[in-house]
Amino acid sequence: MQYIAHIRESDQEIQTVAEHLLETQQLAEIYGDKIGIRHITGLAGMLHDLGKYTEKFQNYIRLAVQNPDNPPKRGSVDHSSAGGKLLFNLFHIQPQGTFDKQDLFIKYVLTEVVANAIISHHSYLQDFLNPQLESRFLYRVRDLEIEGFEDAVAFFYKQVMEKSTFFDYVNQAKAELDQYMNRDDEADFELKLMYLSKFVFSALIDADRTNTRCFEENKNTGDKIAVEAMNHQMLFHEYYEKLMMHIKSLQAARDANTPINLLRKEMSEQCEQFAERPSGIHTLSIPTGGGKTLASFRYALKHAVTFKKKHIIYVVPFTTIIEQNAREVREIIVDDANILEHHSNVVMDDVEEGESNELEDVIVSTRQKLKLAKDNWDSPIIFTTMVQFLNVFYAGGSRNIRRLHNLSESVIIFDEVQKVPTHCISLFNQAVNFLKTYAHSGIVLCTATQPELDFVHNKLEIEPDAEMVHDLNQVIEAFKRVEIVDKATDMKFNTEKLADFVEERLADEQSVLVILNTKTVVKNLYHRLKEGSGTVPIYHLSTSMCPAHRNSILEKVKNHLQHKEPVVCISTQLIEAGVDISFKCVIRSLAGLDSIAQAAGRCNRHGEDRMKQVYVIDHEEEDLKRLKEIRIGKEISRKMFIDLKRNKTCLGGNVLSAQSMEIYFQKYYSELKTDLNYFIPKLRKNMTELLYANRIENTYFQSYCKENETILPLFLANSYRTAADHFQVIEDHTTAVIVPYGDGEKEGKEIIADLNGQQSIEDLTDLLRRAQQFTINIFNYEKDRLDQNKGLVSFLDGKIYALTDGAYDDCYGLNLENDSLHSGFIL
């Protein structure tokens, strides 16, 4: 009998279970080899679909094929549990007589880590123990009765791997686990095992879906991954040569010998030299306007070539930086195909994935195509956001964690790293420490305002001699192009008074940038200035606009600046980090010192004038009740401004000095100390306890033992699924929607129209990548409002959302009332 794993949609060709398991094993081994666990990940790959060897499941498949219009009920057969159950039966049994405790520990842990990945491959890692003191893991691998299980195991030994060979393979996996656990003796066992579990799960998910996709597209999986890695190395060599040619052209330019350009050149060369050092966690503290993108890219390419890294990944706080940095890199390497911009997840995950999706694992449906089309970050160069980075490690669903293994053996540049959300600091630090210690990745913390991430309790393991820039204080002083004018400690501004002040500044300066803390006050000031601006162009920027829209506005503003024409831009903080733009005057609403420093970087950016002013004001209409981090940062900054006003020599005599930044961040993290471990009010627990607390600190484990008068028969007791269910980088849950911005080829309207058609997996992948530039994230209350006003439409079985024409405005972006009169075209 031929046991079927998948049936190709195009020609009804069959992929057997043995073919799928062995090919998935091969890919999983390649992924696991990155951190020295090829047999551990391979074990998960070879066993994940063991349950497809049951007669019950094969009848289920054939019935689905014979009755496509009336298929059997989804989830009526479980094929995910069998592989985990086999491991548990073989290796999680207490031996009789004398036994090696270390060997037993390794067997138990190996079983728990790999079996959890297997039973979870249609959903997310299960809780070993949940808040109700139940173990879904134990139920699936120990208690669940699987009809035909023994026959399935027999077929596995016959068709996939002979029994003695299988036991030898497990012994190799045990040796890898033992070696992994002995690395970095200072790290907590539970922390090591948490990240190991997530890595194994990532490798399995991506190997399974990559093999399924290759079969569906009738492509040979073969040595695809190894070939891609070799191609990446060749590309990095080629890109490095192109970059050096670009740098030579800059050095030949007429303004190459200006003081600022000479400083930029010097720091860029320091990055080149630093790239020859072994990978670790390093800092690049180039002041704003110092050529950070070019210097960090030079480091990344040289380091990738020298140490054979597989990816270069930029992680940024705002999508505006993605657009600018990606464009700058494209212009240097003259290549678009090998750069991925990943702004947000366009496709919605099922709220509850699981065995209900087993049928889609056999017959490629629309939903399955979307799963296979989701990007796994296998591109050579990737630009993404801090939200997406943290989601890879901690968010639920399989779309995020699938990418985790591709973060290993990479150069990862965290641009504007000071913007890590405070409640995620501990989680961020631990993830980055794992990437450094176990995943062989080189980490660069890139910002003009370095946060004190090694000051907090769960600290970042930064190298002792981490800074790439020599004589940092002297460099900061040499780059001083603005003076900070304190107008925040003596008076308050409302919209009317601020509008008058902007008009006064505009009379003296050609261009003014105003950065405020909330979208509401930005919009109010824009309205007020539009009423009395005369002929001066006024522009508005906020996250209610899609990336393509914001980029279009920024290009118009830059054009005015280039031609020395009067212009005013009013924006939220999205413009202040990494956007290469230079105004004669900047007005910044009082906020954290790092935000003020970043805003200052948008003024006199290239030293066009000897010295310009950045005015810090206090806007009384800003409602910061729900913006705790901005509110606390604002109060600390206010006190520091007052201190400097009283004593001109304190803080190094400069509110933006390296000393000021160090003091600011230490006060900031001390003030928010209770928030750093991601507290979950509903559970009254920190996320860190759910993910990697040891048995003594794990209150669920203690309660289970007390209530059941016995010890939980597992080494691990983590609550992975519960933690993921409660994890959100942005505290208010958001949904990505595609917007009808622009009506040209490859723009928002065309992408939305194309969603109505039938696409191959390859076409759908391309469509979703194009959609990144035309998405915004909306909060739940906004989604409800749009639903009421019929401003939202869904596609592909409700997995993708888009706005109607009336729900997007060419001035403000999102329009909740769905009554926009100017939508869908470029200004």
Side-chain angles (χ1 to χ4, degrees):
M1 178 178 174
Q2 196 171 38
Y3 283 84
I4 302 168
H6 299 111
I7 301 169
R8 187 153 52 226
E9 185 182 40
S10 61
D11 58 8
Q12 299 300 293
E13 184 70 22
I14 287 171
Q15 182 186 41
T16 67
V17 175
E19 289 169 341
H20 179 53
L21 292 181
L22 289 169
E23 289 169 9
T24 301
Q25 174 201 343
Q26 179 192 27
L27 285 175
E29 285 179 345
I30 293 169
Y31 299 153
D33 207 29
K34 299 173 183 180
I35 67 168
I37 59 166
R38 66 181 289 114
H39 292 90
I40 298 176
T41 51
L43 190 60
M46 74 168 72
L47 289 174
H48 79 285
D49 274 355
L50 174 65
K52 288 184 177 179
Y53 269 125
T54 62
E55 193 69 32
K56 188 173 183 181
F57 194 81
Q58 290 301 309
N59 291 336
Y60 174 69
I61 294 170
R62 289 183 167 86
L63 188 60
V65 174
Q66 293 164 9
N67 301 277
D69 297 328
N70 186 27
K73 181 183 177 182
R74 290 210 323 247
S76 57
V77 180
D78 170 0
H79 79 246
S80 299
S81 299
K85 192 174 185 70
L86 173 61
L87 285 177
F88 193 85
N89 287 352
L90 290 175
F91 304 112
H92 212 284
I93 305 299
Q94 183 77 34
Q96 300 299 314
T98 59
F99 54 86
D100 185 330
K101 290 185 178 180
Q102 175 65 15
D103 183 67
L104 183 66
F105 162 75
I106 291 293
K107 281 182 179 178
Y108 272 26
V109 170
L110 180 68
T111 298
E112 291 170 23
V113 167
V114 177
N116 200 356
I118 291 169
I119 67 173
S120 305
H121 79 270
H122 278 286
S123 53
Y124 191 76
L125 288 169
Q126 297 295 311
D127 288 339
F128 290 105
L129 195 59
N130 68 16
Q132 290 73 44
L133 307 185
E134 301 165 338
S135 178
R136 288 292 299 166
F137 173 82
L138 269 180
Y139 169 74
R140 295 278 294 279
V141 300
R142 183 189 66 183
D143 304 331
L144 181 66
E145 295 293 331
I146 300 175
E147 186 179 331
F149 174 71
E150 297 300 331
D151 290 337
V153 174
F155 275 111
F156 171 80
Y157 289 141
K158 183 178 180 180
Q159 296 188 2
V160 179
M161 187 172 285
E162 194 268 335
K163 191 171 185 177
S164 62
T165 307
F166 175 73
F167 274 76
D168 288 342
Y169 196 96
V170 171
N171 284 333
Q172 289 176 287
K174 285 166 52 185
E176 289 171 354
L177 178 60
D178 196 22
Q179 189 174 24
Y180 173 87
M181 294 304 296
N182 286 322
R183 266 187 272 171
D184 188 21
D185 292 336
E186 294 182 7
D188 294 336
F189 257 38
E190 288 76 9
L191 187 64
K192 289 182 183 181
L193 290 175
M194 185 268 286
Y195 285 117
L196 176 68
S197 298
K198 287 178 179 273
F199 192 98
V200 173
F201 189 49
S202 171
L204 172 58
I205 292 293
D206 199 23
D208 179 25
R209 293 189 180 174
T210 299
N211 177 251
T212 304
R213 175 175 176 167
C214 287
F215 170 73
E216 181 60 25
E217 294 178 336
N218 201 11
K219 295 177 181 177
N220 183 16
T221 304
D223 296 324
K224 174 179 180 290
I225 306 303
V227 169
E228 282 181 354
M230 189 183 302
N231 289 342
H232 289 192
Q233 279 296 299
M234 292 171 60
L235 283 171
F236 292 150
H237 276 279
E238 177 188 332
Y239 294 162
Y240 177 76
E241 294 301 323
K242 288 182 176 179
L243 173 64
M244 296 313 294
M245 288 175 61
H246 176 75
I247 288 172
K248 283 182 181 178
S249 70
L250 292 178
Q251 292 171 355
R254 282 184 301 175
D255 61 350
N257 292 322
T258 63
I260 278 187
N261 281 334
L262 287 173
L263 270 172
R264 288 170 177 163
K265 176 177 178 288
E266 184 181 341
M267 288 186 291
S268 175
E269 288 170 350
Q270 289 173 14
C271 289
E272 166 99 11
Q273 295 163 10
F274 209 94
E276 295 178 358
R277 296 193 188 188
S279 297
I281 302 176
H282 298 108
T283 59
L284 178 56
S285 305
I286 290 179
T288 52
K292 190 155 38 77
T293 303
L294 193 64
S296 63
F297 191 48
R298 185 172 181 175
Y299 170 89
L301 284 174
K302 183 64 179 286
H303 196 73
V305 168
T306 304
F307 294 96
K308 295 182 168 50
K309 302 301 183 186
K310 294 182 171 64
H311 309 277
I312 293 172
I313 304 169
Y314 277 85
V315 181
V316 303
F318 306 123
T319 54
T320 42
I321 310 175
I322 288 182
E323 299 139 28
Q324 176 182 286
N325 289 3
R327 184 169 61 252
E328 190 171 340
V329 168
R330 278 194 187 93
E331 289 171 355
I332 293 169
I333 66 175
V334 196
D335 188 348
D336 187 51
N338 292 304
I339 296 178
L340 170 68
E341 292 183 49
H342 189 248
H343 299 260
S344 60
N345 288 318
V346 177
V347 182
M348 293 289 293
D349 259 346
D350 287 319
V351 175
E352 197 64 39
E353 291 185 326
E355 300 303 323
S356 62
N357 294 322
E358 301 265 10
L359 180 60
E360 293 166 6
D361 190 39
V362 180
I363 301 170
V364 178
S365 65
T366 297
R367 288 150 65 97
Q368 182 70 350
K369 280 184 183 179
L370 286 169
K371 282 187 180 181
L372 299 179
K374 290 174 188 173
D375 196 276
N376 62 351
W377 288 4
D378 60 356
S379 299
I381 300 176
I382 299 156
F383 290 87
T384 191
T385 64
M386 181 61 70
V387 170
Q388 297 305 327
F389 173 80
L390 290 167
N391 280 348
V392 165
F393 284 94
Y394 305 113
S398 54
R399 70 183 178 193
N400 298 299
I401 200 167
R402 178 181 177 183
R403 303 166 183 140
L404 192 155
H405 72 90
N406 274 327
L407 290 169
S408 48
E409 297 183 315
S410 298
V411 182
I412 308 175
I413 298 166
F414 292 96
D415 200 0
E416 310 300 352
V417 70
Q418 77 281 358
K419 295 295 184 183
V420 178
T422 304
H423 63 293
C424 295
I425 289 288
S426 290
L427 298 178
F428 172 81
N429 286 354
Q430 300 290 23
V432 172
N433 289 341
F434 167 79
L435 291 173
K436 165 204 167 183
T437 305
Y438 299 94
H440 316 298
S441 289
I443 312 296
V444 181
L445 310 179
C446 193
T447 178
T449 53
Q450 288 289 349
E452 295 292 301
L453 295 177
D454 56 347
F455 172 77
V456 299
H457 175 65
N458 288 307
K459 67 179 183 178
L460 197 61
E461 296 167 1
I462 299 175
E463 306 307 311
D465 185 18
E467 179 54 53
M468 296 186 196
V469 177
H470 305 159
D471 304 319
L472 190 57
N473 280 323
Q474 292 181 30
V475 171
I476 291 171
E477 186 60 32
F479 260 87
K480 190 174 179 181
R481 307 176 305 285
V482 302
E483 61 176 348
I484 306 298
V485 181
D486 172 18
K487 285 188 167 291
T489 55
D490 293 330
M491 68 182 80
K492 294 268 190 182
F493 283 74
N494 57 24
T495 296
E496 192 64 33
K497 187 173 180 178
L498 180 54
D500 291 340
F501 185 60
V502 171
E503 289 167 352
E504 288 174 17
R505 294 294 86 223
L506 194 58
D508 296 331
E509 305 287 359
Q510 279 189 319
S511 56
V512 178
L513 170 65
V514 186
I515 305 174
L516 304 174
N517 289 322
T518 67
K519 287 190 283 188
T520 301
V521 292
V522 165
K523 199 169 181 178
N524 290 344
L525 181 61
Y526 175 77
H527 272 300
R528 167 61 183 78
L529 287 173
K530 285 289 280 185
E531 290 170 359
S533 66
T535 58
V536 177
I538 312 289
Y539 293 92
H540 159 274
L541 284 170
S542 83
T543 52
S544 292
M545 301 168 174
C546 71
H549 191 172
R550 293 198 302 265
N551 198 41
S552 175
I553 297 292
L554 282 169
E555 286 304 313
K556 294 177 193 307
V557 173
K558 287 179 181 180
N559 188 58
H560 289 299
L561 294 170
Q562 186 178 351
H563 291 88
K564 301 189 183 332
E565 297 167 354
V567 63
V568 175
C569 182
I570 306 125
S571 177
T572 56
Q573 64 177 341
L574 67 87
I575 198 173
E576 71 187 10
V579 178
D580 187 9
I581 199 164
S582 182
F583 289 81
K584 298 289 186 182
C585 172
V586 169
I587 301 168
R588 182 53 166 103
S589 188
L590 186 61
L593 212 58
D594 57 319
S595 293
I596 293 168
Q598 294 296 337
R602 304 324 114 191
C603 184
N604 197 22
R605 186 172 178 81
H606 306 293
E608 304 95 327
D609 298 284
R610 289 181 62 84
M611 197 66 66
K612 286 294 178 182
Q613 284 73 43
V614 173
Y615 297 92
V616 180
I617 61 105
D618 191 1
H619 199 302
E620 65 182 20
E621 296 170 13
E622 289 180 335
D623 182 3
L624 302 179
K625 283 185 289 189
R626 298 181 64 196
L627 300 171
K628 181 179 179 180
E629 295 177 18
I630 294 177
R631 188 176 72 250
I632 289 173
K634 177 177 177 176
E635 289 312 308
I636 295 172
S637 296
R638 185 196 303 279
K639 290 173 184 175
M640 293 179 74
F641 271 114
I642 291 171
D643 289 344
L644 192 59
K645 186 178 287 188
R646 289 173 179 165
N647 180 2
K648 301 287 187 187
T649 62
C650 76
L651 304 175
N654 178 6
V655 77
L656 300 186
S657 68
Q659 180 186 346
S660 293
M661 287 299 161
E662 183 177 340
I663 292 169
Y664 168 78
F665 277 112
Q666 289 187 2
K667 287 183 176 180
Y668 181 72
Y669 291 142
S670 295
E671 189 76 25
L672 291 163
K673 183 163 57 175
T674 57
D675 294 347
L676 300 180
N677 291 334
Y678 199 119
F679 182 69
I680 306 168
K682 186 176 179 180
L683 301 179
R684 301 191 62 76
K685 285 185 179 296
N686 289 329
M687 186 74 72
T688 49
E689 180 183 343
L690 296 177
L691 288 171
Y692 52 83
N694 61 39
R695 289 171 172 239
I696 296 172
E697 295 171 343
N698 188 325
T699 54
Y700 292 160
F701 176 79
Q702 299 299 326
S703 297
Y704 176 93
C705 296
K706 185 176 180 180
E707 187 173 300
N708 292 279
E709 298 182 347
T710 184
I711 293 178
L712 179 74
L714 295 170
F715 181 84
L716 298 173
N718 315 82
S719 307
Y720 296 143
R721 180 67 178 265
T722 297
D725 288 346
H726 287 87
F727 179 76
Q728 293 173 339
V729 181
I730 302 170
E731 293 181 5
D732 293 317
H733 183 70
T734 60
T735 301
V737 298
I738 304 173
V739 305
Y741 175 73
D743 55 5
E745 186 180 353
K746 294 189 177 181
E747 294 191 326
K749 275 195 171 182
E750 185 198 44
I751 291 168
I752 293 171
D754 286 348
L755 289 171
N756 280 314
Q758 287 292 321
Q759 298 93 11
S760 66
I761 296 172
E762 191 169 357
D763 289 340
L764 195 53
T765 298
D766 179 63
L767 193 66
L768 295 179
R769 290 195 184 196
R770 282 164 45 199
Q772 292 290 321
Q773 285 282 332
F774 300 92
T775 59
I776 61 171
N777 291 304
I778 59 173
F779 295 108
N780 281 341
Y781 80 89
E782 292 174 323
K783 186 170 179 286
D784 293 341
R785 186 86 162 272
L786 287 166
D787 277 333
Q788 291 171 7
N789 294 329
K790 300 187 179 352
L792 203 59
V793 290
S794 66
F795 299 92
L796 302 177
D797 297 339
K799 307 304 289 180
I800 296 179
Y801 286 97
L803 297 183
T804 61
D805 280 1
Y808 196 80
D809 186 278
D810 58 17
C811 284
Y812 306 111
L814 176 66
N815 179 354
L816 296 177
E817 303 308 316
N818 190 26
D819 59 1
S820 174
L821 298 177
H822 5 240
S823 58
F825 60 87
I826 300 176
L827 287 170

